[in-house]
Amino acid sequence: MRFTFDGADYDARPGDTLAAALLRNKIHLMGRSFKYHRPRGVLASGAEEPNALVEIDRGGARRTPNLRATVVEVFDGMVARSQNRTPSLRFDIGAVNDLLAPFLPAGFYYKTFMWPVGAWARLYEPMIRRAAGLGRAPELADTDRYTQRFAHCDVLVIGSGPAGLAAATEAAATGIRVILCDEQAAFGGSLLSDPSEALATQLAALFANPRVTMLSRTTAFGIYGDNLVGLAERVTDHLPDPHPALPRERLWQVRAKRIVVAAGAIERPLVFPGNDRPGIMLGDAARIFARRYGANPGTNAVVVTACDTGADVARDLAASGIVIARLVDLREGFRVTGTHGRLRVSSIEIDRGGTRETIACDFVAMCGGWTPSIHLYSQAGGKPRFDPGIGAFVPGTEVTGLTCVGACAGDMPPAYRAGVAPVNAEGRAFVDWQNDVTAKDLKLATREGFRSIEHVKRYTTTGMATDQGKTSNINALGIVAGALGATIPEIGLTTFRTPYTPVTFGTLAGLSRGDLFDPVRTTPMHEWEMARGAVFEDVGAWKRARYYPRQGEDMHTAVARECRLVRDTVGMFDASTLGKIEVVGPDAAEFMNRVYINAWTKLAPGRCRYGVMLGENGFVMDDGVVGRLAQDRFHVTTTTGGAARVLAFMEDYRQTEWPELRVWLTSATEQWAVIAVQGPRARDVLMPLVDGQDISAVAMPHMSVVEGTMLGIEMRLFRVSFSGELGFEVNVPADYGHAIWEAIWDRVQVYEGGAYGTEAMHVLRAEKGFIIVGQETDGTVTPDDVGLGWAIGKAKKDFIGKRSLTRSGMTGPRRQLVGLRTDDPATVLEEGAQITATIEDRRPLGHVTSAYGGTTVGHSIALAMIEDGRARVGATLQVRMPNGAIPVHVTAPVFYDPEGARLDA
Amino acid sequence: MKLIPCPICGERAEIEFTYGGQAGLTRPADPAATTEAEWGAFLYARENPKGMHRERWRHIHGCGQFFNLTRDTVTDRFIP
Amino acid sequence: MSHPDKPYIPDRNKVAPMDRFSLAKLLRQGFAGQTGWGAQWRAPERPEAAYDVVIVGGGGHGLATAYYLAKEHNIRRVAVIERGWIGGGNTGRNTTIIRSNYLMPESAALYDHSVKLWETLSQQLNYNVMYSPRGVLMLAHNVHDVQSAMRHIHANRLAGVDNEWLDPAQVKAFCPPLNVGGPLRYPILGGALQRRGGTARHDAVAWGFARAASALGVDIVQNCAVTGLKRDATGAISGVETTRGDIACKKVGVVAAGHTSVVMAMAGVRMPLESYPLQALVSEPVKPAFPCVVMSNTIHAYISQSDKGEMVIGAGTDAYTSYSQTGGLHIATQTLDAICELVPQFRRLRMLRNWGGIVDLSPDRSPILSKTDVAGLYVNSGWGTGGFKATPGSGNVFAHTIAHDEPHPINAPFSLARFDTGLLIDEAAAAAVAH
C-alpha cells in the first residue's frame, strides 16, 4: 500500500495505523503543538494521542481535520497532511512563540491586550485566533452519509481486551443477547501484540454466536440515563473505495440491561525537562509499534521508568531487535535533567546525586504507571476513589447495572501498579502535550490562587485539549497537590464529560437533514397546489400555499388579484391545516364552558360560535370557530400552530383537574380536509354539490353547521367566514380532500373564481379587523385588549384565565387593537414598526401588528396595538421609521363592511 | 435519555412523554375568592427541590395518560 | 483540603492597591521566570463573624454584585459565600453570548446597561475579559420569524439599541459559512444583527470581578455552603449559617442561579422558579471558520467560535427539572441536527466536550432582581438560559438594590411582585406563537 504524508510518498502494510506506517518509514515528526508550535512526534499508540493530529483528504468535501495518526488506518492511496504549521512541518514560523515562551505563561492573555479600549476585538483577538485552532475546518458541505441505529441487549461489553473478551464469552455462553464493541479495528486489545491461537478461537466462537453482535471500530463515547450507551462506529474511513451505499459512520444508541466496562488503562508519561521531543513516547506505545505493527520506533532506546513496566518494555523492545542503551529507573534515585535533538530526540541527560550523564539514543520510552479508564464509569454516576498503589482513581461506589472489569477496575498485574511518578519540573517539563502546559504553568496557577483542580484546569488549559487530559490529568493533579502541600484526593478530580473521544457532528445528526430535519406536513391538496405554481410558506411543520402567482405576477399583484376574486365572485382556500378537536360526552358543554371564555350551554346544535381560549395567566392563547354538532358533541377548530398545544392543554385539565367530567377529546386535524369557499357566489358554487342539502340563507344562516354528504362523501359543512364575505368551510375525510377540491374547483371556474392563499386570507381578514393569534396577540394580550371582551360569557362564574384578568396589574392602561390609516393611501406601514404620540416622544405607545397594501378597500390598511387605543380613535400618531416618522390616523379596526351585511348574504 | 415507567404501558423512552411539572397543585375551587398572592402562588410558586420531587408526566405518544412519579432531582432516578 | 493560609485581616478603609496587570509587568516577569505573581484574590479559609452584606453564590453575578457594592456604594464589609469554586456554575458553563436586542423596553434597558459596562470592563477590572463585539445574528426562517425580528428591530432602534435587518444576501456576506439558499428544511429568510453583540471569556469575568472585589476588601469564601438563613424576632434577616461558621449580617443577596429555590426556602420563601438542565458542547479547535455569533430560536441552534478555535454550541434544556448537571443524548443530537443544517460543512467536525448546567427559569423567562417580603433578603435569579450577558449590569443594579433597599430604576420592573400583579415582562411569549 502507498500513501502520502505532506506530499511525500510512503509504503504501508495492511493493518497499519498512520502513526505505525510513518514510524516504519522513520518519520517521527508528525505535528506541531497548539501554543508554542513545538515539533512533536507520536506520544501514544491509541485514542489518547495528543500530538500526532493530521488531516485526511479524500477529495472534495471529504477532508477531515484533527484525526489522530494513531487511530487513522492507512488505505492504499491515502492522502494525509500535518496541521497547524506554516509553511511546513519542519520549518514553522509559528515556532517563534516558543522563543517568546518566557513571556507567554499560563493565563498571560488575561493580563494584557487591554489597551487601548476596543483594541482586543480589532487587533489582538484576530491575531490570536489565527494562531490558535488546530486543523482547518472543511469548507464544502459534507457529501457523506451518516446513519443511526437503536439496539437493546442484555449485556453490552465495552472493550475487547482479555477482561472484555472473558466477560463477553461468559455472557454469551448463557444464551443472552450480547454486544461487544471495541474502538480498534481488531478485537483483542492488548492481546493483539501477541496474537495467539486461543484468541482466534475465542473470537471465532463469539462471531459464530447469532446472539452476539460484534462491533469493531466502535467507540463507546458516553453513558446516558438508565444505561443508554452511545456508540460511534467508523464504517468506511479505512476503506480505499467505500461502497456508496455505506454510511461513513453510524451512531448506535444501545439500551443495555447490564454494561460491562473493560476499557483498560492508559499509560502515564513522565514529567521532565524536554520530555516532548519527537521520539519520546510511552513505553507501551513503543512496544505496540514494535511488536504489533513491526514498526520499531528506532534502533537505540533509553527506557525511563517509574515502575516495573519499564523492565517488561525493555525486554520486549530488545526482543524486537532494538538496542536498549539504558534502562533508567527513577526509583533508584535517577532524575532526567534534559534531552537534545531538534526534530527528534538524539540524547537524554540523567543525573543521580549530582553525577550527570548524557546518553545518546534515537528514541525514549517512558513508563510512568497506569491510569484506569474510568470515564464511562464516572459518566454513569460512579464516584471514583483514589488508589495510591496505582497512583490513580479507580471505581469506588457501585453503579446500578454497570460493572468495571480488568485494568479499568484497577485490576492490574503487579508490574503495572505504581504510584504517581516523581516529577522534575525544571525547564520545560510538559504535562499536557497538546496545549503546551508545563509543570511550571501549574505551579504558577497555584501561586496565583487557583487551587481547585477545576480552576487550575481552566487557567492553564491543562486537560482541555482534544485528548481531554487522558495522559495528563493524573500528573497535573500530582503537581498541583505537591505545590499546595495537599494530597491528590484533597485536590479532587475534574469531571469526566462525554464524549470519551470526539464524535463526528454528522454521526450525531444522522439522516436528519433537509426534508428529514423535521417532518413536512402537507395537506391532501398539496400536489394540486404545487402543480398550480403555489408559493408555500412554513407554518409550524406545515407547508401552506401562500399565493398562486400567474405568469409575471409578483406577490403583491397576485395577492391583490386573489383578494378581488373573493370580494367580487368566489375564491377557494385550503384550510386543512387548522387544528381540529372532537369534544364529545354528556359533559362536553360544561367542559367547553370551563375551557373557553365563551358560554356554550345555550348554543344550539347546528350552530357555531367563535371561541377564545386563555391561558391560566389570562392571556389569549388560541381561537377558532366551534360547531355544536349535537348536544354532546363539539367540533372545535384551533389555529394551525396551536393545535397540539391546545389539545394537550385541554387534556391536562380533563384528566387532572376535572376527572369527574364525562368528556373525551380526539384530535381530528389530519382526518378532515377543509376547503373554504368564500365570496358572493359561494352558495352558487356549492349548491349542486351538496346532495340536496338546503344551504339557503334561511336554512343555513351565518355561523351554522350541518352534517351531510357532498357527492356522496361524508361532509361537515360550516357556514363561516374569515373573509367577510358569504362563506362556507367544507370538511370532508382527508382521503377525499383532493377529489372534492377538484369538484369545487370546476364549479368555481364557472363563476370565474379561483384559489387564494394565506397571504390573501390575511389581507381579507385584516380588512374585517379579525385578529390572528400570534400576530395581533403575543402572549401578553387579554380578550378585551383585542376587542373580544364581548365573547366572554358574562354569567359564567369561572373559566380558565378568568381570575387572572382581575389582577391589579391588568387594570392599568393597556394596549388595545385599533386600525391605522396613512395620509397617502399607497403608503404601506411596516409590520412591527413602533408608534409614538409625537415625533419628539421616544416612548412607544404600541406597534403595527399587520399592514397590507393591495386591499379591496382602496387604500392601505394596518392594525396596531396601541396604549389606550380605543380612546385615541381619531387621533394622529407617529409611526417611527429609520428615515423619519409617518403620521397615521387611529381608526376602528374594521375597514370593510362594518355592519356585516355581506356575511349574512 | 431516561426510561420512564408508564403505569399502563411500562417503561418507555423519555421522548414518548411530556413533563407536567410539580404534582399536587390543585386549581382553587373558586378562583374569584383567592387573594392576589394566593392566585399568584398557584400560578407560579414551585417547590423546585433538590432531592425528592413529586411530579407529573404524560405518556403523550402512547396511552395519553397523566400520572405522578417521585424522582430524585439530584440523580434523576425515579423512586418507587 | 487544607491551605497554609495565614489569617488575613483586611483594613477595608485603606485597602492596598491591586497588583496591576500590564504588558510591562508581564515582560519583566518573563525575565524573572514568572515567579513574582501573587494570588489574584484573597481566599480566607472561613468567613468572619459579621459582615454588612453577605452574597450567597460566587458566580459572575454574585461577584459583580460584591464588586459594585464596594466600588460604587462603599460597602466593603462584604462576603461572597460560594459552595464550590467561584465561577464553577453557569458562569463557567455557558456559551458566552452577549447581546441586548430584547423586545420589551424593560429588558432592553437592563441588557443594554450591561453591554455598556462590557465595553470597558477589562479596563475597569484590569483583567482582560476578552469582550469581543463580533456581532450576534439572529436568523429568521419563516414569515412569523421575520415579523418578530422586524418588531424587535423597530423597538430596539426607538430605544437606542442597535439592531438591523439583513436580507439573505447580506446574511451570507456577514457570515459566509451559513447555508443561505441551500436545501434547508427551514430556509434562512434573513436575520436581525446586533453588531455590538458578541462574546467574552467566561472564566475571566468571574476571576476579574473576584480580583477587583477582593482588592476593595471583599472576602471570597469558597468551599463554604450556606446551610441556613437566620431571621430575628421581626422576621428580618439577621445572619447566615454556613459549613464554615455562622455570620451575623443584616442583608443577604441570594445569587445562586439553579440553587436559588433551595437557598430561598431556608428563609421560607417559595420562588416562582424551576431549575432545568441546559446542555452545551464544543467541537475540536479549528482555524478561524466562523466570524460571528449565530442564533436560531426556530430550529434551536446557537453557535460561535471561541478564540481557541472551538465551535461553541448551545443546546436546549432537557424536558424535566433537575440538579444533576447532565442531560440526555437526544438533546445534543437535536442541536447538532440544527447546526449541520445551517452549516453543512461542519458535519465533519467533531464534538469534543458536552456538558450541562442548571438554569433557573422564571415563568416569564425574565430575571428576578428584587427585594423580598423578608426584610434584608434580596434575590437575583431567573436568568434562565441567558444570564451571562447580563453579568456586569445585573451586579451593578443588584448592588444598588441592596445598598439602598430600593431597586434601581432599571431593575424595578423585575420584581418578585410582578407574578402576583400580572405585570410580566414576557419576552418568550412575543416570539413563541405560530399561527
Side-chain angles (χ1 to χ4, degrees):
Chain A
M1 295 197 303
R2 309 287 297 171
F3 70 98
T4 68
F5 179 64
D6 282 344
D9 207 30
Y10 299 101
D11 263 326
R13 293 183 193 162
D16 268 355
T17 61
L18 179 60
L22 287 171
L23 285 179
R24 196 181 306 104
N25 284 283
K26 304 192 170 25
I27 306 292
H28 273 264
L29 177 64
M30 297 186 201
R32 288 276 174 171
S33 64
F34 188 84
K35 183 175 173 186
Y36 300 131
H37 290 246
R38 286 172 69 88
R40 292 283 169 77
V42 73
L43 176 71
S45 62
E48 68 275 26
E49 171 60 27
N51 285 336
L53 302 184
V54 298
E55 164 181 295
I56 302 296
D57 190 346
R58 303 192 72 136
R62 300 160 78 211
R63 179 170 65 73
T64 316
N66 296 345
L67 297 174
R68 294 151 173 76
T70 51
V71 172
V72 169
E73 295 173 58
V74 179
F75 56 82
D76 194 36
M78 171 184 269
V79 176
R81 276 186 221 108
S82 61
Q83 322 185 127
N84 198 31
R85 79 293 185 270
T86 310
S88 75
L89 196 52
R90 294 179 67 86
F91 303 100
D92 175 11
I93 54 170
V96 69
N97 288 359
D98 201 32
L99 300 173
L100 297 174
F103 309 103
L104 309 176
F108 73 96
Y109 27 74
Y110 299 125
K111 294 172 178 162
T112 184
F113 302 137
M114 286 180 261
W115 306 274
V117 171
W120 168 255
R122 282 198 311 277
L123 185 64
Y124 304 117
E125 187 182 44
M127 204 169 68
I128 285 186
R129 291 185 76 179
R130 274 196 301 276
L134 287 166
R136 300 174 299 148
E139 280 147 9
L140 299 172
D142 193 0
T143 48
D144 276 322
R145 285 172 67 251
Y146 302 86
T147 59
Q148 305 195 334
R149 282 194 189 167
F150 292 86
H152 294 260
C153 65
D154 295 298
V155 178
L156 168 66
V157 181
I158 297 163
S160 69
L165 276 182
T169 301
E170 194 182 317
T174 65
I176 58 178
R177 291 170 306 168
V178 176
I179 296 176
L180 174 62
C181 71
D182 195 287
E183 63 183 359
Q184 297 203 46
F187 294 97
S190 61
L191 300 173
L192 288 165
S193 288
D194 303 282
S196 66
E197 198 63 31
L199 172 63
T201 313
Q202 197 172 13
L203 287 174
L206 287 169
F207 273 108
N209 188 329
R211 304 276 282 165
V212 177
T213 306
M214 303 285 279
L215 298 173
S216 61
R217 300 187 179 90
T218 302
T219 304
F221 63 82
I223 295 190
Y224 300 86
D226 295 328
N227 272 16
L228 183 78
V229 187
L231 311 179
E233 181 186 8
R234 303 184 303 282
V235 181
T236 59
D237 266 6
H238 63 290
L239 300 173
D241 189 17
H243 191 281
L246 286 176
R248 176 172 174 239
E249 297 185 7
R250 188 180 282 137
L251 174 70
W252 292 75
Q253 295 181 66
V254 178
R255 184 80 68 178
K257 284 194 185 131
R258 180 143 212 96
I259 300 168
V260 177
V261 181
I266 293 171
E267 198 170 17
R268 292 194 288 270
L270 293 165
V271 180
F272 56 78
N275 60 349
D276 69 324
R277 288 183 207 282
I280 303 180
M281 64 181 70
L282 296 170
D284 193 50
R287 175 162 63 179
I288 287 172
F289 286 125
R291 300 187 55 172
R292 177 170 165 194
Y293 296 101
N296 285 357
T299 55
N300 189 26
V302 170
V303 178
V304 186
T305 188
C307 60
D308 290 345
T309 312
D312 288 5
V313 166
R315 184 196 63 222
D316 289 347
L317 292 178
S320 297
I322 293 165
V323 175
I324 305 300
R326 184 75 63 89
L327 171 61
V328 180
D329 194 328
L330 300 180
R331 293 171 297 183
E332 295 168 0
F334 289 101
R335 293 161 68 230
V336 179
T337 53
T339 65
H340 301 279
R342 192 172 83 85
L343 297 178
R344 177 164 175 190
V345 67
S346 59
S347 65
I348 180 166
E349 284 177 22
I350 58 171
D351 169 286
R352 179 158 71 169
T355 311
R356 293 206 164 209
E357 192 181 348
T358 302
I359 310 162
C361 59
D362 63 0
F363 80 98
V364 173
M366 300 181 281
C367 306
W370 294 79
T371 304
S373 290
I374 55 169
H375 306 72
L376 295 171
Y377 161 80
S378 173
Q379 287 171 19
K383 299 274 174 283
R385 67 175 174 84
F386 190 73
D387 180 338
I390 292 178
F393 287 89
V394 296
T397 56
E398 292 267 314
V399 177
T400 312
L402 181 140
T403 317
C404 293
V405 298
C408 76
D411 180 8
M412 296 184 197
Y416 284 50
R417 300 180 63 87
V420 179
V423 163
N424 180 0
E426 293 161 15
R428 317 270 305 273
F430 287 87
V431 177
D432 183 315
W433 266 246
Q434 191 183 118
N435 274 354
D436 282 328
V437 181
T438 63
K440 279 186 179 165
D441 286 320
L442 297 172
K443 291 183 171 180
L444 170 65
T446 60
R447 275 200 306 282
E448 293 197 74
F450 297 94
R451 288 166 172 177
S452 135
I453 192 62
E454 286 288 352
H455 274 172
V456 172
K457 174 179 136 184
R458 286 156 177 274
Y459 192 65
T460 64
T461 74
T462 190
M464 298 190 78
T466 63
D467 56 299
Q468 291 286 284
K470 290 186 179 63
T471 53
S472 63
N473 278 348
I474 291 291
N475 284 334
L477 277 170
I479 291 163
V480 170
L484 293 174
T487 64
I488 286 180
E490 285 173 320
I491 301 296
L493 184 61
T494 59
T495 317
F496 289 100
R497 305 195 192 285
T498 56
Y500 174 67
T501 53
V503 181
T504 306
F505 282 6
T507 307
L508 294 165
L511 292 169
S512 173
R513 46 196 285 197
D515 279 356
L516 296 180
F517 174 71
D518 203 20
V520 179
R521 297 180 83 181
T522 57
T523 72
M525 289 74 97
H526 187 75
E527 298 298 320
W528 186 95
E529 289 157 5
M530 295 259 288
R532 299 285 161 157
V535 174
F536 290 89
E537 67 167 321
D538 289 302
V539 181
W542 288 101
K543 292 282 183 194
R544 300 196 74 180
R546 194 173 182 198
Y547 57 97
Y548 298 84
R550 289 184 180 163
Q551 192 82 42
E553 279 186 341
D554 61 7
M555 180 169 109
H556 181 80
T557 347
V559 170
R561 173 180 51 73
E562 290 173 14
C563 288
R564 280 255 66 91
L565 282 180
V566 176
R567 292 279 181 250
D568 294 346
T569 167
V570 63
M572 56 193 291
F573 172 75
D574 179 1
S576 305
T577 65
L578 284 185
K580 293 168 278 288
I581 301 167
E582 198 92 343
V583 178
V584 182
D587 296 323
E590 173 60 19
F591 180 78
M592 294 294 290
N593 278 336
R594 296 184 191 188
V595 171
Y596 281 83
I597 68 173
N598 317 69
W600 301 94
T601 312
K602 291 181 183 161
L603 183 71
R607 299 294 300 175
C608 301
R609 182 160 287 167
Y610 169 68
V612 178
M613 168 185 286
L614 311 183
E616 201 70 274
N617 59 12
F619 299 127
V620 173
M621 181 174 137
D622 209 85
D623 67 350
V625 169
V626 177
R628 189 168 198 174
L629 300 172
Q631 202 61 31
D632 64 350
R633 183 176 291 264
F634 291 85
H635 176 118
V636 169
T637 66
T638 74
T639 59
T640 296
R645 184 171 57 239
V646 168
L647 180 59
F649 179 79
M650 285 182 169
E651 193 64 41
D652 190 342
Y653 279 88
R654 188 190 75 84
Q655 288 190 36
T656 70
E657 289 292 345
W658 310 315
E660 73 282 4
L661 292 186
R662 292 161 302 161
V663 61
W664 294 271
L665 311 173
T666 308
S667 168
T669 302
E670 306 227 339
Q671 276 58 47
W672 297 106
V674 184
I675 303 161
V677 183
Q678 305 273 312
R681 311 309 293 267
R683 186 181 290 116
D684 301 327
V685 165
L686 293 178
M687 196 86 83
L689 305 177
V690 293
D691 298 347
Q693 182 77 43
D694 183 357
I695 60 171
S696 67
V698 176
M700 203 175 171
H702 182 53
M703 297 305 267
S704 60
V705 57
V706 295
E707 292 181 272
T709 60
M710 176 171 284
L711 301 173
I713 304 303
E714 177 190 3
M715 163 194 79
R716 285 180 183 174
L717 182 65
F718 289 76
R719 178 151 174 218
V720 290
S721 173
F722 199 42
S723 65
E725 301 298 331
L726 167 66
F728 294 87
E729 285 185 3
V730 178
N731 285 244
V732 290
D735 286 350
Y736 295 96
H738 180 214
I740 295 291
W741 175 278
E742 292 274 12
I744 296 176
W745 173 254
D746 289 344
R747 292 288 302 153
V748 163
Q749 296 310 295
V750 173
Y751 299 97
E752 295 178 332
Y756 66 101
T758 51
E759 197 62 26
M761 177 267 280
H762 285 169
V763 178
L764 294 166
R765 65 87 205 177
E767 290 178 345
K768 283 290 292 178
F770 295 148
I771 65 156
I772 288 184
V773 170
Q775 187 156 348
E776 272 63 45
T777 74
D778 62 5
T780 65
V781 168
T782 66
D784 184 64
D785 294 345
V786 279
L788 296 174
W790 58 265
I792 295 176
K794 300 292 182 293
K796 291 205 296 181
K797 195 162 173 300
D798 189 21
F799 53 81
I800 294 172
K802 182 176 168 62
R803 172 66 184 85
S804 287
L805 293 174
T806 55
R807 290 182 293 175
S808 57
M810 312 287 264
T811 52
R814 296 197 57 84
R815 294 187 173 187
Q816 295 168 333
L817 181 71
V818 293
L820 298 179
R821 292 279 305 271
T822 50
D823 289 329
D824 178 353
T827 302
V828 181
L829 297 173
E830 207 164 277
E831 287 170 356
Q834 300 289 305
I835 298 161
T836 59
T838 64
I839 295 176
E840 294 74 34
D841 201 354
R842 291 186 77 84
R843 190 177 77 86
L845 291 177
H847 71 286
V848 177
T849 58
S850 298
Y852 305 100
T855 66
T856 62
V857 294
H859 56 80
S860 68
I861 59 166
L863 299 174
M865 294 296 290
I866 303 276
E867 187 180 291
D868 283 330
R870 290 198 284 271
R872 293 181 197 266
V873 169
T876 300
L877 302 174
Q878 304 292 330
V879 170
R880 307 298 288 264
M881 299 302 292
N883 46 2
I886 302 170
V888 289
H889 309 290
V890 181
T891 70
V894 185
F895 299 94
Y896 180 77
D897 185 26
E899 301 77 30
R902 298 179 69 90
L903 287 176
D904 292 322
Chain B
M1 192 191 305
K2 291 197 62 55
L3 286 176
I4 293 173
C6 170
I8 294 174
C9 308
E11 279 196 334
R12 297 294 169 90
E14 176 192 327
I15 48 172
E16 295 183 18
F17 296 80
T18 48
Y19 177 67
Q22 183 179 332
L25 294 167
T26 308
R27 192 171 185 274
D30 183 6
T34 59
T35 65
E36 194 158 277
E38 285 164 354
W39 184 248
F42 163 69
L43 287 180
Y44 300 125
R46 297 294 178 265
E47 294 299 333
N48 198 28
K50 186 173 184 177
M52 295 307 147
H53 189 226
R54 191 78 180 145
E55 62 196 19
R56 310 187 316 150
W57 287 88
R58 183 176 178 219
H59 194 190
I60 189 164
H61 299 299
C63 63
Q65 280 297 309
F66 276 89
F67 53 92
N68 293 343
L69 291 174
T70 303
R71 181 173 53 94
D72 181 343
T73 61
V74 178
T75 63
D76 285 339
R77 294 226 162 79
F78 291 108
I79 310 299
Chain C
M1 78 186 262
S2 56
H3 304 303
D5 265 323
K6 295 187 190 76
Y8 179 87
I9 302 161
D11 177 354
R12 291 193 175 76
N13 296 317
K14 213 176 98 183
V15 169
M18 189 161 63
D19 189 15
R20 282 193 72 77
F21 291 157
S22 68
L23 180 60
K25 180 151 190 210
L26 190 68
L27 293 175
R28 267 200 313 280
Q29 281 296 322
F31 294 109
Q34 304 287 350
T35 50
W37 304 104
Q40 295 195 357
W41 62 87
R42 291 173 297 104
E45 189 76 355
R46 57 191 71 256
E48 294 178 37
Y51 290 93
D52 291 335
V53 177
V54 170
I55 301 297
V56 180
H61 290 243
L63 293 163
T65 305
Y67 168 73
Y68 288 113
L69 276 170
K71 176 86 178 167
E72 297 195 347
H73 305 283
N74 206 33
I75 300 174
R76 299 183 172 200
R77 284 192 359 126
V78 176
V80 176
I81 305 296
E82 167 55 45
R83 194 172 57 102
W85 299 95
I86 61 167
N90 294 342
T91 300
R93 292 164 188 267
N94 74 92
T95 54
T96 77
I97 297 174
I98 295 171
R99 63 184 181 90
S100 62
N101 51 352
Y102 282 72
L103 178 63
M104 303 295 170
E106 298 88 346
S107 312
L110 175 62
Y111 290 102
D112 214 52
H113 179 57
S114 203
V115 167
K116 285 177 184 139
L117 291 171
W118 277 115
E119 284 164 356
T120 57
L121 194 61
S122 294
Q123 292 74 33
Q124 269 277 318
L125 301 180
N126 180 238
Y127 209 99
N128 188 356
V129 301
M130 305 182 197
Y131 168 58
S132 170
R134 59 181 77 165
V136 172
L137 179 60
M138 302 175 77
L139 299 178
H141 298 274
N142 56 46
V143 175
H144 184 262
D145 282 357
V146 175
Q147 287 168 342
S148 173
M150 293 313 294
R151 187 178 167 197
H152 278 73
I153 288 166
H154 283 292
N156 288 155
R157 211 190 48 247
L158 189 62
V161 175
D162 82 295
N163 197 359
E164 63 196 272
W165 176 253
L166 301 189
D167 67 24
Q170 291 167 317
V171 166
K172 184 72 183 172
F174 190 76
C175 187
L178 285 176
N179 186 9
V180 178
L184 280 176
R185 171 70 178 86
Y186 297 111
I188 295 169
L189 302 184
L193 170 65
Q194 184 175 32
R195 292 184 190 269
R196 288 192 306 149
T199 60
R201 171 76 193 144
H202 52 15
D203 293 328
V205 176
W207 302 337
F209 271 119
R211 174 168 164 269
S214 173
L216 294 170
V218 171
D219 281 352
I220 295 160
V221 188
Q222 303 179 90
N223 279 323
C224 178
V226 169
T227 53
L229 297 176
K230 289 202 281 198
R231 298 167 66 174
D232 65 18
T234 67
I237 286 291
S238 61
V240 177
E241 295 165 357
T242 81
T243 51
R244 289 175 182 251
D246 290 1
I247 306 167
C249 65
K250 295 262 186 269
K251 291 184 174 182
V252 171
V254 176
V255 199
H259 285 81
T260 300
S261 296
V262 176
V263 177
M264 294 298 282
M266 295 174 189
V269 179
R270 273 176 97 211
M271 292 295 293
L273 293 173
E274 290 185 294
S275 298
Y276 283 87
L278 176 69
Q279 294 187 49
L281 60 97
V282 294
S283 75
E284 294 179 307
V286 287
K287 294 294 177 190
F290 204 81
C292 60
V293 181
V294 165
M295 306 173 62
S296 166
N297 290 328
T298 297
I299 65 171
H300 302 295
Y302 312 91
I303 178 170
S304 65
Q305 187 173 15
S306 73
D307 289 339
K308 196 179 171 191
E310 300 163 334
M311 297 299 163
V312 181
I313 293 168
T317 49
D318 277 78
Y320 49 85
T321 62
S322 175
Y323 290 82
S324 66
Q325 292 200 332
T326 61
L329 174 60
H330 60 296
I331 304 291
T333 62
Q334 282 162 8
T335 298
L336 289 170
D337 292 353
I339 295 296
C340 291
E341 273 281 277
L342 289 181
V343 200
Q345 61 274 34
F346 286 176
R347 270 189 208 121
R348 292 180 100 82
L349 293 186
R350 302 194 295 173
M351 176 170 84
L352 173 61
R353 235 183 1 259
N354 175 206
W355 66 92
I358 310 168
V359 298
D360 45 328
L361 296 181
S362 77
D364 60 0
R365 301 298 185 260
S366 288
I368 299 165
L369 282 152
S370 182
K371 298 171 65 172
T372 67
D373 290 342
V374 177
L377 181 63
Y378 308 85
V379 65
N380 179 349
S381 65
W383 291 96
T385 60
F388 177 74
K389 63 176 79 72
T391 306
S394 155
N396 189 269
V397 297
F398 194 51
H400 178 105
T401 307
I402 295 172
H404 296 269
D405 194 36
E406 275 304 325
H408 187 281
I410 287 179
N411 68 303
F414 295 88
S415 70
L416 253 180
R418 74 179 188 270
F419 300 104
D420 291 342
T421 63
L423 286 173
L424 304 186
I425 304 163
D426 205 333
E427 291 286 332
V433 190
H435 47 79

